[in-house]
Amino acid sequence: MEEFKLNFYAIYTFFAVVAVIFSMYVDIKKKHYNVYSVFFAGLLFLIIALLFGLRSTDVGTDTSMVIYQFDYQDRIDFGFQFMYGFLMLVVGGFTNDYHFFLLTLSILYNGLIFSSVLILSRKIDFNIFLVGFSFVSFYFFESLGINIVRQGVSLALFLLAVSLYFRKPQDFKIWLIPFVLAIGFHITTAVVFLIFVLVILLKKIKIIYYYLLYFVILIVSIFGGSILSFGSLLSYFFLVDNQKAEYYINNENGENYAIGFKPQFAAFNTIFLVFFSFINAKIFKYENREYQVLLKYYMVMSTVFFMMFQIPFSDRWGVMSWVVIPFLLAPLFTINKTAKYSIGTLSFLILIFVFFSMYYSDLS
């Protein structure tokens, strides 16, 4: 595990230097140089895909479970998660070596994120490498890549759907397909799909009401309110996987997972909400409808996250809001004639990476 961490930090440090150079070009030279940017972004995701995919069994707490599922796939019913079972079947048809399955998941995860960034860049003119690098700067990126890998691939497909929505919002068939595939990898993405579609359908609701919802639920969470407050209704919330209801209601995880209000995560989501509100007001002048849809999704998904603080592994709900942060930050990596946002934003992201690396290192 230590060797993996050192390799990951070395890769991040090298590409952080590249990111600084690109951010200076964006802010000072007022050029993206996206021909080179695409190359370095592709190289970044390729190297990380290999690092994640070729990891040893002691890297990632769920890695051993993924290996077990691959080795005994014929004995497991994946239910709604048909795509995960299908992928196992395909890879298993070529080899019984679980390393190839881990590598396949890693390539899918990194490749889908890279593709999503490329597609989104056709709608918003930003530096492709800097947006790609912003994903790697968040702790959830590593966790989704080596630990909760099914959810990682699922949320990467969600990002693909979001980027396709930005490009052609009216052509719902194009961005609906990745959503279906995403649910096929991890059933909880159905919640993501439901919220995203509801935000689109309820487009006439002013964004001020989403801010109101966000802060009301945040206050409720501070005073101990959670989804557990709904009692038996929790079973309906987890209808797609009713075993989860008992697991969460009775805290039958068998581990000492800290539950309760998490100020660090509440502050994290709120700080970025301030960033996004600035972008929506100052850069887009409240005129980019697709950006507002994603911002509204972020706020609603954050409220769901806040309501999950009292259950085990609530951060697995938090990542459903965090995963869109790089897309929402993307306009800060665009050429602005009157302001310089890239260098400051990049510095903040590197600071976040260092902070959470130290934070989780102290916990382990």
Side-chain angles (χ1 to χ4, degrees):
M1 184 64 179
E2 290 184 4
E3 182 181 355
F4 172 86
K5 283 289 186 182
L6 288 174
N7 289 333
F8 184 60
Y9 293 154
I11 292 168
Y12 183 86
T13 301
F14 172 79
F15 283 100
V17 174
V18 176
V20 170
I21 295 172
F22 273 118
S23 67
M24 293 175 66
Y25 276 125
V26 172
D27 279 353
I28 300 172
K29 292 286 188 178
K30 304 298 182 182
K31 293 181 179 180
H32 287 310
Y33 292 105
N34 267 338
V35 172
Y36 301 103
S37 176
V38 170
F39 169 77
F40 279 103
L43 184 63
L44 169 65
F45 283 111
L46 175 60
I47 292 174
I48 291 180
L50 293 174
L51 177 67
F52 287 4
L54 299 176
R55 66 187 184 276
S56 59
T57 56
D58 65 331
V59 176
T61 55
D62 286 357
T63 300
S64 57
M65 182 184 68
V66 174
I67 294 172
Y68 174 84
Q69 290 172 339
F70 180 73
D71 288 339
Y72 299 97
Q73 56 185 281
D74 56 330
R75 305 179 189 178
I76 302 173
D77 180 13
F78 293 104
F80 285 101
Q81 290 143 155
F82 63 95
M83 282 302 302
Y84 186 61
F86 177 72
L87 183 64
M88 280 189 174
L89 184 65
V90 171
V91 176
F94 290 94
T95 177
N96 292 323
D97 189 343
Y98 66 82
H99 288 99
F100 286 95
F101 184 63
L102 294 177
L103 183 60
T104 300
L105 287 172
S106 181
I107 291 174
L108 271 176
Y109 171 64
N110 286 276
L112 286 167
I113 293 178
F114 178 50
S115 300
S116 301
V117 173
L118 289 178
I119 294 171
L120 186 66
S121 70
R122 298 178 184 177
K123 181 66 176 183
I124 303 175
D125 187 24
F126 52 70
N127 182 281
I128 292 169
F129 175 78
L130 290 176
V131 175
F133 180 77
S134 67
F135 275 99
V136 185
S137 297
F138 290 103
Y139 184 80
F140 68 78
F141 175 82
E142 180 187 356
S143 181
L144 288 172
I146 65 172
N147 188 16
I148 45 177
V149 292
R150 279 195 301 117
Q151 190 175 19
V153 175
S154 180
L155 291 178
L157 282 164
F158 163 57
L159 290 173
L160 180 62
V162 169
S163 63
L164 290 170
Y165 170 78
F166 263 80
R167 190 179 178 192
K168 291 184 178 180
Q170 293 81 17
D171 197 350
F172 70 93
K173 293 181 180 178
I174 291 180
W175 52 267
L176 190 63
I177 293 174
F179 261 123
V180 174
L181 297 177
I183 296 171
F185 272 97
H186 203 276
I187 192 62
T188 56
T189 307
V191 177
V192 172
F193 171 71
L194 179 63
I195 292 175
F196 192 77
V197 171
L198 282 176
V199 168
I200 294 173
L201 294 177
L202 301 175
K203 58 184 178 182
K204 292 185 178 181
I205 297 179
K206 295 181 178 179
I207 198 168
I208 186 64
Y209 295 110
Y210 287 88
Y211 283 101
L212 182 62
L213 173 68
Y214 181 95
F215 286 105
V216 166
I217 297 299
L218 178 57
I219 292 171
V220 169
S221 179
I222 290 174
F223 286 97
S226 73
I227 193 163
L228 295 179
S229 304
F230 294 97
S232 60
L233 291 177
L234 183 61
S235 299
Y236 293 98
F237 186 82
F238 291 108
L239 186 62
V240 291
D241 190 358
N242 53 27
Q243 290 182 346
K244 292 287 186 182
E246 287 298 318
Y247 175 84
Y248 288 125
I249 291 172
N250 299 319
N251 193 14
E252 295 175 347
N253 56 315
E255 298 180 30
N256 295 321
Y257 184 89
I259 59 175
F261 181 72
K262 296 179 174 59
Q264 71 275 28
F265 290 145
F268 182 85
N269 280 51
T270 304
I271 288 171
F272 278 102
L273 179 58
V274 174
F275 274 88
F276 307 149
S277 301
F278 170 82
I279 294 169
N280 189 38
K282 298 299 182 181
I283 296 181
F284 287 131
K285 311 294 183 183
Y286 303 105
E287 294 178 355
N288 190 310
R289 178 179 175 274
E290 290 76 31
Y291 188 86
Q292 289 201 41
V293 165
L294 194 57
L295 176 54
K296 290 175 179 177
Y297 163 81
Y298 175 80
M299 285 191 276
V300 176
M301 196 65 239
S302 293
T303 63
V304 173
F305 177 37
F306 298 156
M307 294 297 286
M308 296 293 180
F309 281 164
Q310 302 293 336
I311 67 174
F313 304 108
S314 58
D315 54 337
R316 298 195 179 190
W317 292 89
V319 75
M320 298 180 195
S321 62
W322 302 335
V323 74
V324 298
I325 290 177
F327 276 9
L328 286 165
L329 285 177
L332 295 177
F333 294 119
T334 61
I335 294 173
N336 191 296
K337 300 299 182 182
T338 60
K340 300 177 180 179
Y341 299 129
S342 294
I343 296 175
T345 305
L346 177 65
S347 300
F348 183 62
L349 291 175
I350 293 175
L351 181 64
I352 285 177
F353 179 85
V354 173
F355 173 79
F356 278 98
S357 295
M358 295 175 63
Y359 174 79
Y360 284 104
S361 176
D362 291 339
L363 292 179
S364 60

